[in-house]
Amino acid sequence: MPSSRVTQADVARHAGVSRTTVSFVLSGREDIRISVEARQRILGAAEELGYRPNLTAQSLRTRKTFTIGLVSDVVASGNYAGGLIQGALEAALEREHLLYVAETGDVPEVEQRLLRGMVDRQVDGMIHASMSTRGRRPAHYSPEHPTVLLNRLDESGQFACVVPDEEKAGAEALRVLLEAGHREGVHVVGGHHRTEAAPDGVHAGRERMRGIGSAAAAAGVRLAGVAECDWSTPEGGYRAVRALLDRAAAPKALVCCNDRLAFGAYQAVEESGLRIPEDVSVISFDDSDLASWLRPGLTSVAIPHRELGRAAVSLLLSDDLKPTIHRIPMPVHRRGSIAPPR
């Protein structure tokens, strides 16, 4: 049978002082005159007995429960963005908070019910998360609860938002090719992603293309073309690159807007009798498992899932929570898919 919980009364008896004195010391009160010797005796007794504060009772006094609610669409059950949850859990634990995680399946009615459940449990703050960046306000909002949007944007400017810096990532992807010497024959595969197959990619596509375009303009380089296609499967990348390779001027470098498209591009290049990176260099985005498994390994700009989760919790628990968009850098993971042009 487990032993009963150690109380402040137990600590008081062990230290030979009153329970009130124990309460003052263990709550960190410095405005009460208690001798150094008594404080040390109380703290020693608490450690020896294994005393832990009763957070439920404490929350009644402080109106803080040291809990955070995170409600997502499909993040929690997805392998791809599980780092969001991991980073948030780590940051919460470091700050001695518990994290409640719930998933809506992207159903607004479920989201509303879960959010109300979090509020009813008196969480100290809320994080509203999405698998991929999109513009969406919470289905239910409680003004008295600090709120952060994770991978969500709020056009009203009411909430603090944490998102990956997709525009700078696009610029960095093109700069990697420029550094390798590619100034001609550079094609983008995916483009703005206007297809309806996976609308979650609209924001990422727009921002990445904006960054690619700005980096090209700054370098005085003109893109050879943009092949818009479905991002959801490798088939889109395969078909787009096959069409490019059938032209008289074959591409020298490809910027694929995600790793699935790059996988299809690899197949198309191989079928044409060309080689990566000797004949065609390839860079992509997302840095999924595909990137490291492809041969040669695919250079890819990573979505910093873990850092996004950590940043959301840190921001939520900060003393200066303002309605600002916080953009988290996306690092380039270099592998063997890029070489100087022939």
Side-chain angles (χ1 to χ4, degrees), residues 40 88 96 117 124 129 171 183 194 221 233-234 253 265 285 298-299 312 332:
Q40 291 177 342
E96 297 185 347
D124 294 332
R183 300 184 66 85
R194 296 181 184 131
V221 171
T233 67
F285 296 87
L298 173 63
T299 296
V332 178

Side-chain angles (χ1 to χ4, degrees), residues 118-131:
M118 295 285 188
V119 170
D120 290 344
R121 285 162 177 78
Q122 299 181 326
V123 295
D124 294 332
M126 289 292 308
I127 296 174
H128 303 263
S130 290
M131 175 71 166

Side-chain angles (χ1 to χ4, degrees), residues 2-280:
S3 58
S4 60
R5 187 184 187 95
V6 176
T7 66
Q8 289 189 1
D10 297 326
V11 175
R13 282 193 295 272
H14 198 75
V17 297
S18 71
R19 186 191 175 286
T20 301
T21 303
V22 169
S23 177
F24 288 147
V25 170
L26 295 183
S27 63
R29 292 279 297 273
E30 299 289 343
D31 56 330
I32 306 298
R33 294 190 123 210
I34 301 173
S35 68
V36 173
E37 186 273 335
R39 286 182 183 275
Q40 291 177 342
R41 204 163 67 246
I42 291 167
L43 294 174
E47 182 176 1
E48 182 180 342
L49 295 174
Y51 169 79
R52 291 184 296 114
N54 187 324
L55 295 180
T56 301
Q58 191 178 85
S59 68
L60 294 175
R61 297 192 304 271
T62 64
R63 295 190 176 182
K64 284 182 64 67
T65 61
F66 294 94
T67 58
I68 300 169
L70 189 154
V71 175
S72 67
D73 46 20
V74 292
V75 172
S77 62
N79 294 328
Y80 186 55
L84 283 173
I85 304 297
Q86 182 182 5
L89 285 168
E90 291 172 352
L93 184 60
E94 289 170 5
R95 292 159 178 79
E96 297 185 347
H97 280 65
L98 292 179
L99 185 71
Y100 294 143
V101 179
E103 186 169 294
T104 69
D106 210 17
V107 179
E109 294 79 10
V110 175
E111 179 181 4
Q112 189 173 45
R113 190 166 71 246
L114 289 173
L115 292 175
R116 286 175 174 167
M118 295 285 188
V119 170
D120 290 344
R121 285 162 177 78
Q122 299 181 326
V123 295
D124 294 332
M126 289 292 308
I127 296 174
H128 303 263
S130 290
M131 175 71 166
S132 59
T133 308
R134 57 171 69 178
R136 177 181 290 182
R137 290 172 55 84
H140 176 77
Y141 170 57
S142 178
E144 65 269 19
H145 287 80
T147 299
V148 170
L149 306 189
L150 175 54
N151 241 0
R152 290 189 179 188
L153 291 167
D154 170 40
E155 294 180 355
S156 72
Q158 183 178 0
F159 300 100
C161 306
V162 177
V163 297
D165 198 339
E166 302 280 9
E167 183 173 347
K168 283 189 177 179
E172 185 61 25
L174 189 69
R175 280 195 288 266
V176 169
L177 292 177
L178 294 173
E179 290 169 3
H182 290 279
R183 300 184 66 85
E184 297 180 351
V186 179
H187 292 257
V188 178
V189 180
H192 292 83
H193 186 34
R194 296 181 184 131
T195 62
E196 297 180 357
D200 286 349
V202 170
H203 173 80
R206 186 187 306 116
E207 294 291 295
R208 291 171 187 178
M209 281 302 303
R210 185 178 292 126
I212 292 168
S214 65
V221 171
R222 185 173 182 177
L223 295 174
V226 177
E228 293 197 11
C229 60
D230 176 11
W231 287 27
S232 61
T233 67
E235 182 71 18
Y238 172 80
R239 290 182 180 275
V241 175
R242 281 294 309 182
L244 292 176
L245 293 170
D246 288 340
R247 298 178 181 176
K252 300 298 182 183
L254 301 172
V255 182
C256 296
C257 284
N258 69 18
D259 292 342
R260 292 187 295 273
L261 295 179
F263 181 80
Y266 266 54
Q267 309 309 308
V269 171
E270 182 180 356
E271 283 185 7
S272 71
L274 299 176
R275 293 181 299 169
I276 298 173
E278 291 83 359
D279 301 303
V280 182

Side-chain angles (χ1 to χ4, degrees), residues 325-341:
I325 298 176
H326 299 261
R327 302 184 187 276
I328 307 303
M330 298 172 63
V332 178
H333 291 179
R334 297 175 183 256
R335 299 186 180 91
S337 62
I338 295 175

